[in-house]
Every structure is written in C-alpha cells, then in structure tokens.
Amino acid sequence: MSTTPIEFINTPDQLRQAAATMAECQVLCVDTEFHRESTFYPEFALLQIYGNGQCWVIDPITIKDLAPVWDIMLNPAILKVFHAARQDIEIIFNEAGGLPLPLFDTQVAAALLGYGQQVGFGNLVQRITKKLLPKGESFTDWKARPLTKKQMAYAADDVIWLMPVFQHLKERLEAAKRTQWLQEEQQTLCSPETYQPNDADAFWRVKGFNRLKGRHLAVLQEMAAWRERSAQQRDIPRRRMIADEPLLELARRDLLDIETMQRIRGINAGFIKRFGDEIIACWQRGMERTEESWPSMEARRSNTHGTDLRLEMLDTLVRLKAEEGEISGTILASKSDLSALASWGYRCKGEPPEVACLHGWRYELVGHDLIRLLRGEICLHLNSQTGMPEISPYEQAQ
C-alpha cells in the first residue's frame, strides 16, 4: 500500500486524463476534505479517489470545473465506496447535482457486522488490516496551498486503505447474507431528500426543544425555520445568526417585544436592530397557529403498569439477538424504539408503534420476537445449566 502512486491533480488537463483512467474502474474509493467552522455549507478543499492501484488527490480550489470527475461519480456502472458518507455525499450532491450511486458505506457495513454503530475509519483499518494510520494531520488547514508531503500522504491513506476494508466487509456481508441489510440501511443516504432538508424540521435540531410543548413548540418551529433560511442565504453557521439557547428562550415567552428581547442574554443590540421585527413576526405566527398545526411531541411515558420491567425484558431480548447475530444491539433497536414498544405492551391493543425495529431485516432478526414477547407467545428464562437467559415458546417454558 505504501508504494501506491499518488497523483496531485491541479490542472484541467490532468483532471481529464485522470477521469479517463477512473472510467475504467469498477470500484472507486472516495473521500473529501472540507471545512465548516465559519460557513453554513461545507467549504470543499480536497477530493481523494482510489481505484485500480492508483490514487488521485484533486484540488477543487485551483480547478473550478470538476465536470469530468463528477461524470464519473454519477456513472451508475461504477461502485463508489465511502466511510461515513453523509457529508461527502452532500458535497458531491451540491457540486455535481446528483448522487454518487451505487454506493457502499463501510461505516454502515461495519455496524451490521458487529464492529460498533459508528466506528471510526482508523479504528476499522487497524482491526481489519492491522495497519495503524498516522493522525498527525487531523486538524490541518486543507484550504492552504501548497500541501505538504505529509498532508498528501494522510489524505491519500483515507482512500488507499478504504479498499481492503471494503473488500473485507463485502465478503463478510455476503457470507452472512446481509447484503440486503446494507441496501436497506443506505436508503436514507441514497435519497435526494436527505440533502435537501426541510426548513420546517430545523427545530428538531435545537438543543432543548423537548422542554417546550404545544403553542411554544410551534413558535420554535417558526423561529428555527427563519434561522435556517437566513443562515443559508448568508452562508454562515446557524449559531452565528442566533444560538440555540436564546432562540429557545424567545420561543418560551408568552409575550415578546423589542424590550423583552433586550433583556435576554446572547442577543446583542445589533441583532435586535436588524432582525428584531422578523423574530417578533415569527413568534406571532407561531402563537396564532391552531392546535392541529402544532408539532406533535410524543407524550412522556409513565413508569406505571410495569413499563420499566417490560423495557428491561425487551432490552434483554435485543442483547440476546445481537449476541446471536454478532451485531451491535444499538443498531438493532434504539432505546426510544424499545420504550415505545414497552408502553404499547401494557395492553397490546391496536397496531404497534411505527419504530425502525419492526421493519425490514430488523423485524426478521428481532422485531417479530419483540412483539411475540409482549403478547406472551414467547418468554425469557434462565438455563438451569448455564445460568444464561434464553428464549423459549411460552408453552415449552411451562
């Protein structure tokens, strides 16, 4: 791997030649370097691609038109491999106007094989190939030019070592008959809607949103949507418009005017002068909304009627299934999924809640048995010889 040729691409002619070589590859490993500290959208600084034993490090700062390589990324005949693909795909989607399909996310694949739900790339490389990747350039300024040899090598490693990781995970997925699981898990990554977020959903990302309810949550929704649009228009981080804490404080007020805003920490006079009227208009719209239009918040679940005990039983079942399937329990069923099921399980009336563990491969592996456990069709008991919990049909346990 250390002898892999690395070509730095910073002219249109080099890019066209590299793209012609890439077009002959069946699989390409892809990564990007970017900064997002002072902007709303990622500042694209570097594109790394590896295929057929060659690595290209492409400079999007010098080359303004990357059309030849975007054609490669959008070519459906070439598989694109990423690790933790979400932000890399966002850049490609914004720059190329499409999604790099088909794709393979090694972080998602690793989670399906028991490596942990969000395993880091360096950790995964070390566990699969025994190679320890250097970390010295983790906080480098990728927009600075010229790049040093260490920076180039560090950037190239992210795609050179991605290939053996991909090959290993692909073989294991096929052997375990979990390839379809990966396709299901990547549906969100492969959807254009993922990279065209709805302003109306921005309030879910406000820290502390769950402390509001009803009309005040509707106010927060209006204000967060305004902040999202304003930050996008100015290409600045959301917090530079207004931070979460003062936004939340504005939304919980029963009365809001300029004088009230002046007494809230984290809101300066310049912001109030420029945007105060717009904020008040958002607050007014939220307060005037009818109850039917308020964001729905799942009610806090009571601990009565044995809900906590059911939750423990469900969690035990998930852990047994995770151990049996050599997979992380957290990817099988989240705590919120299990809480919803435990609450529904008090009477098991009506349809079960809409939770991820009751769909697709998760339903086959654990969801069906979670429902059966709640309905009393199966039970958990201790094996008298091993002392370990086991799953049995209720009649057999009797």
Side-chain angles (χ1 to χ4, degrees):
M1 292 288 180
S2 59
T3 59
T4 299
I6 302 172
E7 185 178 358
F8 185 57
I9 307 295
N10 62 355
T11 70
D13 285 342
Q14 288 177 317
L15 184 67
R16 282 190 290 271
Q17 293 173 15
T21 305
M22 292 176 200
E24 300 173 359
C25 299
Q26 293 183 331
V27 179
L28 290 172
C29 295
V30 185
D31 188 36
T32 65
E33 305 295 345
F34 57 90
H35 297 281
R36 206 168 194 161
E37 293 83 3
S38 59
T39 60
F40 184 91
Y41 298 102
E43 294 182 278
F44 186 23
L46 213 61
L47 173 63
Q48 306 99 278
I49 301 175
Y50 173 87
N52 285 356
Q54 187 168 353
C55 181
W56 301 273
V57 178
I58 301 168
D59 182 2
I61 295 177
T62 302
I63 308 174
K64 302 303 181 184
D65 184 4
L66 297 184
V69 78
W70 295 145
D71 288 342
I72 299 297
M73 290 295 102
L74 302 185
N75 185 341
I78 301 174
L79 177 66
K80 277 71 66 172
V81 180
F82 301 85
H83 182 83
R86 172 67 176 78
Q87 295 191 85
D88 298 319
I89 296 174
E90 179 185 0
I91 289 173
I92 294 172
F93 183 78
N94 289 338
E95 298 284 339
L99 295 174
L101 303 177
L103 63 88
F104 186 110
D105 189 327
T106 56
Q107 188 178 68
V108 177
L112 296 174
L113 293 168
Y115 286 95
Q117 192 161 4
Q118 292 185 317
V119 62
F121 180 63
N123 184 343
L124 196 56
V125 170
Q126 186 174 6
R127 291 167 68 179
I128 291 175
T129 71
K130 311 307 179 187
K131 166 70 175 179
L132 181 61
L133 296 182
K135 301 179 180 179
E137 303 299 328
S138 301
F139 294 97
T140 195
D141 180 0
W142 293 109
K143 294 187 297 179
R145 297 292 184 271
L147 296 173
T148 67
K149 289 183 178 180
K150 284 187 177 181
Q151 287 175 316
M152 288 277 289
Y154 178 90
D157 276 347
D158 284 347
V159 288
I160 291 172
W161 290 95
L162 188 54
M163 184 62 79
V165 168
F166 155 70
Q167 292 169 337
H168 175 84
L169 295 176
K170 180 175 180 289
E171 290 174 4
R172 282 200 58 193
L173 284 174
E174 290 172 351
K177 298 182 179 179
R178 296 181 181 181
T179 302
Q180 182 58 38
W181 294 14
L182 179 66
Q183 302 309 316
E184 290 181 30
E185 288 301 287
Q186 291 185 160
Q187 285 181 0
T188 299
L189 283 174
C190 297
S191 170
E193 287 75 21
T194 301
Y195 311 97
Q196 299 170 321
N198 185 349
D199 292 343
D201 293 331
F203 76 105
W204 296 118
R205 292 193 294 269
V206 177
K207 186 177 180 180
F209 75 88
N210 56 339
R211 298 201 295 269
L212 301 180
K213 59 183 180 179
R215 197 180 306 278
H216 293 284
L217 196 59
V219 171
L220 181 66
Q221 186 177 35
E222 295 285 347
M223 289 184 175
W226 171 85
R227 182 178 68 170
E228 195 80 359
R229 293 190 298 270
S230 300
Q232 287 175 2
Q233 291 167 4
R234 295 164 176 80
D235 194 18
I236 61 174
R238 299 174 184 88
R239 67 179 184 278
R240 288 268 298 276
M241 281 301 301
I242 180 172
D244 283 359
E245 293 84 354
L247 193 71
L248 200 68
E249 185 61 30
L250 290 169
R252 64 159 43 102
R253 297 283 172 159
D254 290 320
L255 175 65
L256 186 66
D257 54 24
I258 296 297
E259 184 179 349
T260 302
M261 293 177 66
Q262 291 171 339
R263 296 196 299 267
I264 296 176
R265 286 187 303 163
I267 305 179
N268 61 47
F271 176 89
I272 294 173
K273 182 177 181 181
R274 188 172 182 183
F275 303 115
D277 290 340
E278 293 180 46
I279 287 288
I280 292 172
C282 288
W283 178 87
Q284 190 68 41
R285 284 198 301 273
M287 294 297 284
E288 292 175 353
R289 281 169 51 174
T290 60
E291 184 173 348
E292 292 75 19
S293 72
W294 295 347
S296 60
M297 282 286 288
E298 191 174 7
R300 293 182 179 272
R301 297 186 180 90
S302 170
N303 289 331
T304 60
H305 307 303
T307 299
D308 281 353
L309 181 58
R310 284 192 298 276
L311 184 57
E312 288 181 24
M313 294 172 62
L314 295 175
D315 186 59
T316 299
L317 176 60
V318 168
R319 284 188 281 114
L320 287 173
K321 289 291 186 178
E323 184 176 344
E324 178 184 307
E326 297 182 344
I327 189 172
S328 168
T330 53
I331 198 172
L332 275 184
S334 68
K335 292 298 183 185
S336 61
D337 284 359
L338 295 183
S339 294
L341 283 170
S343 181
W344 173 79
Y346 172 50
R347 296 189 184 278
C348 292
K349 288 188 175 181
E351 292 297 318
E354 276 293 322
V355 290
C357 63
L358 298 186
H359 294 278
W361 65 269
R362 288 183 176 85
Y363 179 77
E364 296 177 13
L365 191 63
V366 73
H368 180 55
D369 281 340
L370 289 171
I371 296 298
R372 292 175 69 204
L373 179 64
L374 289 169
R375 287 175 172 162
E377 298 170 9
I378 60 173
C379 65
L380 299 174
H381 66 94
L382 292 178
N383 184 300
S384 59
Q385 295 180 345
T386 65
M388 297 298 292
E390 292 183 346
I391 307 166
S392 298
Y394 183 76
E395 294 80 3
Q396 181 177 324
Q398 294 296 302

